[in-house]
Amino acid sequence: MKRLLFSLIVSASLVLSQTNRIPSLSLKMVDGKNTTVRQLLNDGPLLIDFWALWCAPCLKAMRHLDNFHEKYTKDNLRVLAINLDTERSRSKVRSYVRSKGYNFLVALDPVQESYRRLNGNVMPFTVLVSRYGEIVYKHTGYVPGDEKVLEEQIQSLVRQEATESSDSPPSH
C-alpha cells in the first residue's frame, strides 16, 4: 500500500511539474534560420509573445516588448515575438518589424503549432520562461498598464536567477 501511494504521489508530481514547463518547440525565425526554445534558453530567461499584424492590442504591446529587450538584455533576458499570420504575410511581418526598429527576436508560426501547444486562446499571449524552462507567468490580451505587471514579473525572475547563479559554485 505504501508503494502504491508513493508511486501515485511521484506520478502526480511529475505531471504537475511538466505542465508548468515549456514544451519543446521548434521555431522558424523571420530571417529563415531555425532554432528551438531550448537553444534560446541556454543564455537565460525568455519572454515569448504571440502576435499577429491584424491584432491591434498586439501591435500596441510590441513597443513594450522592445523596451524590455533593451532594458533586460544585460540580465540575459531574450524577447521572442512569435507571429501567427499566414505564410503569405511573411514579407509584411519582416517589413513591419523593420519599420518600427524592433530589435527583439521574431519567429513565424503560420500554422500556430507553438501557440496551441502552450494553450493560447487570446492574443497577444505572453509567456515568461525561466532559463530552466519553467513557465513562471502567462498573460492573455493587452490593455495599457499590463506592461507594468509584466515588468514586475520580469524583475522578479531576473533577481531570482541572478541570486541562483551567484549562489552556485564557479564552473571550471
Side-chain angles (χ1 to χ4, degrees):
M1 184 67 178
K2 286 182 182 179
R3 281 187 183 169
L4 177 61
L5 183 58
F6 179 75
S7 294
L8 288 172
I9 291 170
V10 169
S11 296
S13 67
L14 285 173
V15 168
L16 289 174
S17 67
Q18 289 175 349
T19 58
N20 203 30
R21 297 196 56 76
I22 190 86
S24 179
L25 301 173
S26 296
L27 302 166
K28 178 135 190 145
M29 304 307 288
V30 75
D31 64 7
K33 295 179 182 170
N34 294 314
T35 191
T36 66
V37 165
R38 298 276 182 236
Q39 288 172 321
L40 295 176
L41 287 171
N42 282 340
D43 295 327
L46 183 63
L47 175 62
I48 303 171
D49 187 76
F50 292 91
W51 67 287
L53 287 169
W54 52 263
C55 170
C58 297
L59 303 181
K60 289 178 183 173
M62 289 183 80
R63 66 185 168 96
H64 300 294
L65 298 178
D66 200 53
N67 290 340
F68 296 147
H69 167 77
E70 297 297 327
K71 189 171 182 179
Y72 295 101
T73 295
K74 68 184 182 326
D75 297 304
N76 297 322
L77 175 78
R78 291 182 134 178
V79 175
L80 170 67
I82 301 178
N83 178 270
L84 302 177
D85 284 298
T86 64
E87 186 68 36
R88 292 185 311 191
S89 298
R90 178 184 295 209
S91 63
K92 291 178 186 173
V93 169
R94 196 176 300 132
S95 63
Y96 176 79
V97 170
R98 194 176 313 126
S99 74
K100 296 294 184 181
Y102 295 143
N103 293 308
F104 48 76
L105 300 168
V106 179
L108 303 167
D109 186 7
V111 296
Q112 301 183 5
E113 179 186 349
S114 57
Y115 184 64
R116 280 194 306 273
R117 291 197 56 208
L118 287 168
N119 299 315
N121 57 10
V122 174
M123 286 193 290
F125 176 52
T126 307
V127 181
L128 184 59
V129 185
S130 77
R131 67 179 169 190
Y132 306 109
E134 180 187 358
I135 297 172
V136 297
Y137 178 75
K138 284 185 179 183
H139 183 76
T140 57
Y142 174 76
V143 293
D146 285 350
E147 71 278 0
K148 293 174 184 163
V149 175
L150 178 55
E151 186 163 21
E152 289 171 4
Q153 294 292 324
I154 291 169
Q155 289 172 347
S156 175
L157 179 60
V158 165
R159 276 193 307 271
Q160 177 185 343
E161 293 203 358
T163 301
E164 288 172 4
S165 63
S166 68
D167 288 346
S168 62
S171 58
H172 295 282

